[in-house]
Amino acid sequence: MKLAFVAASGAFLVACSEKPPEQKPLAELKSNPFPSTYQPLPSVATVIKNVTILDGLGGLIENGMLLMQDGDIKAVGQTVSIPQDAKVIDGSGKWVTPGIIDTHSHLGVYPTPDVNAHSDGNEATKPVTAEVWAEHAVWPQDAGFSAALAGGITSLQILPGSANLVGGRTVTLKNVPNRSVQEMKFPEAPHGLKMACGENPKRVYGEKGGPSTRMGNVAGYRQAWIDAQEYKKKWDDYREKHANGENVEPPKQDLKLDTLAGVLNGEIKVHMHCYRADEMMVMMDVMKEFDYQISSFHHAVEAYKIADTLAENNVCASMWADWWGFKMEAYDAIQENIALVHQAKACAIVHSDSDLGIQRLNQEAAKVLGNAHRAGISISRADAWQWLSANPAKSMGVFDKTGSLEAGKDADVVLWSGDPFSTYTLAEHVYIDGALVYDANNPDIWPVSDFEVDQPGEGER
């Protein structure tokens, strides 16, 4: 018995001398593997005086002044202090607004020249392609960027197309054409996720194995979110166990589920192509089922029917002024759509979805105002400009940096030759981060793509 005890004790001492395996470092997914390399262009302190100002928040200042300095808006009001070295512009008879922000553009992924070789907006190979990112297909030489700049566009969201239930990530750009998309990428802007409901996915996949119905569309979204929930839970469990000192292996990374889990974590904003009121209601039900937020329905031609519900659920509607009737789900559009959404105190946005329309979004907003007034809906010019700057910025997650003329925000500003709701008015000066990037009277500073040399794009200047 004594020998057995000694032997057992020896075994115990050997076991105690073994060190537990060292815990592996925490594995984390890279939420931003392709960060912005955008650098603002050089700028000088600039004051615009004697000008009518729309601040983008519903305010109007007659005979006002604006100071831009060090890339930011420093002051705006009836009077501002003018630095000694400032350039002073007399804006008599002219108007100043925040730069226009387009929530829905395909510039760069469907660029000019419009040929099949440049068609990179739809990865139409399976219904859910959350793993693809629009920024990996944006062609900075698209002549549409400079044409949009001449229309007062200072920022824009580039989305994949609407063939798929889940089309992939969007990217927000500063409209300063450059060599790479990363050099245009809006610093710290969150990604969006393009989704689509209705006719497009069921048309594209009806003969590819489905979905072929709206029932199938919704089943496809729900299954994708179920998969994303499971993936998110695996990573949450892994992080919790690691925090408790356990030596655990991380889950295998999945690019598609990374994006969907990013939505569930609140890091990625959902932008959803959806026309009919009933489908938007269904999608808000799915949103609640899986506890994520739809930032904006795009196109939303029947938003007027559910404007109160959009307001209650904090969902924006990015809409055309008057596109109508080109397919069945666009049939019940009305020209008062945006005005009625605005009247219900929901977040109304004017968007383009067009390389031509993006050049004239101020005129699209003017159409909405005219149709509203004819219908007896009174909306001021100052309130209407929110559709072009503040509300788009809110839906894209960049309102803390741009979208209104407030001290401390990026100096993304347009000086218009007159009332910006007039068809006779042009963007005279466009500033991005305080730098003059477009001057209608100085073609020498206009950005020009190689593909504009002796072959201007359709509808340009």
Side-chain angles (χ1 to χ4, degrees):
M1 293 295 292
K2 186 176 181 181
L3 183 61
F5 174 75
V6 171
S9 299
F12 175 74
L13 290 172
V14 170
C16 285
S17 68
E18 293 180 359
K19 294 182 179 180
E22 186 176 342
Q23 188 183 30
K24 295 179 181 178
L26 179 67
E28 282 291 358
L29 300 173
K30 292 182 179 179
S31 61
N32 189 22
F34 311 105
S36 168
T37 57
Y38 168 81
Q39 293 292 325
L41 293 171
S43 62
V44 298
T46 303
V47 172
I48 305 174
K49 65 178 185 178
N50 303 325
V51 70
T52 301
I53 298 173
L54 300 178
D55 65 10
L57 299 171
L60 181 148
I61 303 171
E62 298 280 6
N63 198 34
M65 299 176 70
L66 175 81
L67 168 62
M68 297 177 279
Q69 191 174 26
D70 300 325
D72 294 333
I73 296 168
K74 291 298 182 184
V76 58
Q78 208 69 57
T79 60
V80 304
S81 178
I82 302 177
Q84 279 190 337
D85 60 344
K87 178 179 181 180
V88 179
I89 297 171
D90 186 354
S92 297
K94 301 174 183 179
W95 294 52
V96 160
T97 69
I100 296 174
I101 301 172
D102 191 2
T103 61
H104 193 114
S105 177
H106 299 297
L107 292 183
V109 295
Y110 287 119
T112 302
D114 183 13
V115 294
N116 285 339
H118 286 167
S119 179
D120 289 309
N122 276 311
E123 181 60 31
T125 53
K126 54 187 176 181
V128 177
T129 57
E131 67 272 19
V132 303
W133 297 26
E135 65 195 76
H136 297 146
V138 170
W139 188 44
Q141 290 190 60
D142 183 357
F145 288 117
S146 57
L149 190 62
I153 306 295
T154 54
S155 300
L156 61 166
Q157 178 174 224
I158 310 301
L159 306 95
S162 54
N164 299 350
L165 300 177
V166 181
R169 294 201 196 196
T170 75
V171 63
T172 297
L173 306 179
K174 290 269 194 176
N175 193 17
V176 181
N178 216 314
R179 299 167 302 173
S180 73
V181 68
Q182 303 311 123
E183 292 172 308
M184 299 173 69
K185 196 171 177 180
F186 196 121
E188 299 178 13
H191 278 110
L193 176 64
K194 172 67 177 292
M195 297 180 64
C197 61
E199 293 181 21
N200 286 14
K202 76 190 195 81
R203 183 188 71 246
V204 171
Y205 290 98
E207 297 182 1
K208 289 186 179 182
S212 64
T213 64
R214 285 177 166 85
M215 296 185 295
N217 284 355
V218 175
Y221 311 129
R222 296 181 73 206
Q223 186 59 59
W225 292 123
I226 289 168
D227 294 344
Q229 282 182 328
E230 292 178 355
Y231 183 73
K232 179 178 179 297
K233 186 176 186 306
K234 287 179 182 178
W235 276 95
D236 289 345
D237 289 347
Y238 161 72
R239 294 185 186 102
E240 182 179 355
K241 289 177 180 178
H242 191 278
N244 290 333
E246 296 184 43
N247 193 19
V248 288
E249 291 290 332
K252 181 180 178 180
Q253 184 175 6
D254 184 301
L255 291 178
K256 177 178 77 173
L257 297 176
D258 280 349
T259 293
L260 295 173
V263 172
L264 298 180
N265 287 328
E267 299 164 0
I268 297 175
K269 295 183 173 294
V270 171
H271 294 269
M272 188 154 199
H273 162 120
C274 215
Y275 285 67
R276 287 185 358 192
D278 59 309
E279 289 194 88
M280 288 185 272
M281 295 291 277
V282 169
M283 291 318 305
M284 284 187 281
D285 286 341
V286 174
M287 171 184 85
K288 293 171 186 175
E289 179 185 9
F290 293 98
D291 193 25
Y292 65 92
Q293 180 65 44
I294 295 172
S295 186
S296 183
F297 286 118
H298 287 231
H299 312 330
V301 300
E302 294 185 12
Y304 66 95
K305 298 180 181 180
I306 57 166
D308 57 335
T309 306
L310 294 173
E312 290 165 7
N313 287 277
N314 195 32
V315 178
C316 295
S318 299
M319 299 162 281
W320 295 297
D322 54 6
W323 286 27
W324 169 86
F326 48 92
K327 54 182 174 177
M328 283 304 302
E329 62 187 3
Y331 194 81
D332 214 9
I334 62 172
Q335 293 178 322
E336 299 80 12
N337 189 27
I338 293 173
L340 289 170
V341 171
H342 175 90
Q343 189 179 51
K345 301 189 184 307
C347 170
I349 295 167
V350 177
H351 75 348
S352 77
D353 191 27
S354 164
D355 60 333
L356 302 182
I358 195 172
Q359 301 173 36
R360 302 165 181 84
L361 275 182
N362 61 311
Q363 294 180 24
E364 295 300 300
K367 288 192 222 174
V368 177
L369 269 186
N371 288 318
H373 292 165
R374 282 186 284 275
I377 304 170
S378 179
I379 301 173
S380 70
R381 282 165 164 73
D383 278 338
W385 202 264
Q386 295 174 90
W387 308 336
L388 296 169
S389 62
N391 289 352
K394 290 174 184 176
S395 79
M396 292 156 54
V398 294
F399 184 62
D400 60 327
K401 300 177 181 67
T402 192
S404 61
L405 302 181
E406 298 177 270
K409 287 198 170 182
D410 296 351
D412 299 339
V413 175
V414 181
L415 173 65
W416 300 90
S417 61
D419 179 349
F421 292 96
S422 167
T423 56
Y424 299 103
T425 292
L426 297 174
E428 193 168 286
H429 289 176
V430 180
Y431 300 86
I432 297 180
D433 290 302
L436 179 62
V437 293
Y438 176 80
D439 181 345
N441 300 309
N442 184 8
D444 289 343
I445 73 165
W446 296 356
V448 178
S449 162
D450 291 346
F451 284 84
E452 286 186 291
V453 178
D454 293 329
Q455 48 181 6
E458 182 185 359
E460 291 181 25
R461 292 187 280 276

